[in-house]
C-alpha cells in the first residue's frame, strides 16, 4: 500500500519483524518469539506478512498488525506470495544441502506443499522464487559449481523449467507488470 515497510531488526538480540509507517510514526514489533525471523514479505492485500524463522525453521505468517504467527511449512525459506494471496512459493533451502533445494508451493490455508521444481532438474539448488503477475509461472535461480548461476522459469503448477539466462548472479528476480520480461 506504499504506506508501511516491513523489516527485520535485532533490537533485543534476536531478529524480529517490524512494521513501520512511512514518514511519522513508531515501528510496531509484529514478532517477539526469539525465532530469528528474516525475509519479511507482504501479502498482496497488505494484511499479512510471511517470513522464515531461522531458529524454529520453516515459513510463518503473521498479521501485519502483530498477533499470533502460524507456521505454514516446517522446512523452507524465501517465501513469495502468489498474486491472489492464496499460495506461497518457497525454496526448501534452510542452510544445508543447498544443491538439493527445490521450489515448492503451499496453500496459505494449510495443506501439503507441492513441488514446482524437482531436485537436479535443473542442476543446482533452486532459490529465490517470484511469481508472474498472472500466477502461471515462477522465476527462480540456481547455482552449481560447474555452470555457475542461471535464471529459470517454471510453470507454477509444476513441469519442466526453461533457462532464460546463464552465468548471471541474481539476488532477486521479478517479472515486469505485463509478465513479458524479467
Amino acid at each position: 500500500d506504499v504506506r508501511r515497510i516491513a523489516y527485520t531488526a535485532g533490537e533485543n538480540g534476536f531478529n524480529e519483524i517490524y512494521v513501520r509507517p512511512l514518514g511519522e510514526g513508531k515501528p510496531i514489533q509484529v514478532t517477539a518469539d526469539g525465532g530469528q525471523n528474516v525475509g519479511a514479505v507482504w501479502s498482496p492485500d497488505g494484511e499479512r506478512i510471511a517470513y522464515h524463522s531461522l531458529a524454529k525453521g520453516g515459513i510463518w505468517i503473521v498479521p501485519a498488525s502483530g498477533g499470533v504467527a502460524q507456521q505454514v511449512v516446517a522446512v523452507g525459506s524465501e517465501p513469495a506470495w502468489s498474486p491472489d494471496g492464496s499460495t506461497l512459493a518457497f525454496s526448501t533451502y534452510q542452510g544445508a544441502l543447498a544443491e538439493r533445494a527445490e521450489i515448492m508451493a503451499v496453500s496459505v490455508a494449510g495443506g501439503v506443499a507441492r513441488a514446482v521444481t524437482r531436485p537436479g532438474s535443473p542442476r543446482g539448488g533452486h532459490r529465490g522464487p517470484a511469481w508472474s503477475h498472472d500466477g502461471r509461472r515462477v522465476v527462480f535461480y540456481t547455482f552449481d559449481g560447474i555452470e555457475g548461476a542461471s535464471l529459470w522459469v517454471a510453470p507454477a503448477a509444476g513441469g519442466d523449467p526453461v533457462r532464460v539466462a546463464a552465468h548471471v548472479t541474481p539476488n532477486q528476480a521479478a517479472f515486469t507488470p505485463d509478465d513479458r520480461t524479467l
Side-chain angles (χ1 to χ4, degrees):
D1 62 13
V2 193
R3 295 177 298 163
R4 305 170 290 170
I5 60 171
Y7 61 94
T8 296
E11 301 286 327
N12 302 316
F14 295 101
N15 288 327
E16 300 292 356
I17 306 295
Y18 292 80
V19 170
R20 181 184 182 109
L22 293 176
E24 300 288 324
K26 293 186 175 197
I28 299 167
Q29 185 174 347
V30 297
T31 65
D33 60 2
Q36 298 293 19
N37 304 318
V38 297
V41 183
W42 288 98
S43 63
D45 64 7
E47 297 296 318
R48 300 166 290 170
I49 297 171
Y51 63 92
H52 169 58
S53 173
L54 293 167
K56 295 179 176 183
I59 307 290
W60 296 72
I61 296 175
V62 66
S65 57
V68 177
Q70 295 184 340
Q71 189 175 41
V72 180
V73 292
V75 175
S77 62
E78 302 173 323
W81 290 90
S82 64
D84 66 3
S86 69
T87 306
L88 286 170
F90 62 95
S91 174
T92 58
Y93 176 71
Q94 275 199 179
L97 298 174
E99 69 278 357
R100 299 299 297 165
E102 61 188 304
I103 304 299
M104 304 284 286
V106 66
S107 168
V108 297
V112 176
R114 62 176 171 74
V116 174
T117 66
R118 297 179 311 276
S121 179
R123 180 178 33 216
H126 306 171
R127 305 275 310 274
W131 292 84
S132 61
H133 296 281
D134 64 10
R136 296 184 350 200
R137 296 171 289 163
V138 175
V139 61
F140 65 98
Y141 69 90
T142 62
F143 182 82
D144 71 61
I146 298 169
E147 294 186 18
S150 296
L151 199 58
W152 297 79
V153 174
D160 293 330
V162 174
R163 183 164 54 184
V164 295
H167 309 292
V168 296
T169 309
N171 183 13
Q172 186 175 14
F175 286 89
T176 56
D178 65 3
D179 285 336
R180 296 176 66 191
T181 308
L182 292 171

